[in-house]
Amino acid sequence: MCLGIPVQVLECGAHFARCVGRNGEVRIDLSLVGAQPVGSWLLCFLDAAREVIDAERAASINAALNALAAVQSGETDLSAFFADLDREPQLPEFLRTQTS
């Protein structure tokens, strides 16, 4: 299984960037996203950036990865990792108009 890992750009060259993420510093291939400014967040698979993301999305992906690690270590209460699940589910706007 291949998981996307968010990393933040520390230094960027034409084809590779030095980034930091949950596993420390890594060298990331930028072939699919191009050069990015320092501070940008990238979603990476196998040390290659596939998507430029914002800090909020990086945080939510890291929370999900933390939950996965917690499950692997035997934890069963995952509410701390998914704060948005402690709410009543809402229909998307386009479906709300169809059910009224």
Side-chain angles (χ1 to χ4, degrees), residues 4-74:
I5 307 293
V7 298
Q8 190 170 31
V9 176
L10 298 175
E11 182 180 351
C12 190
H15 304 288
F16 291 92
R18 185 171 60 91
C19 300
V20 65
R22 62 189 299 112
N23 299 322
E25 283 193 19
V26 289
R27 183 174 184 249
I28 298 297
D29 180 344
L30 300 173
S31 297
L32 295 176
V33 298
Q36 298 297 316
V38 171
S40 296
W41 284 93
L42 306 171
L43 186 58
C44 300
F45 296 81
L46 300 173
D47 294 334
R50 299 284 191 263
E51 182 180 350
V52 179
I53 60 176
D54 61 26
E56 184 178 328
R57 180 142 182 246
S60 65
I61 293 168
N62 274 322
L65 293 171
N66 291 340
L68 181 60
V71 167
Q72 289 176 322
S73 67

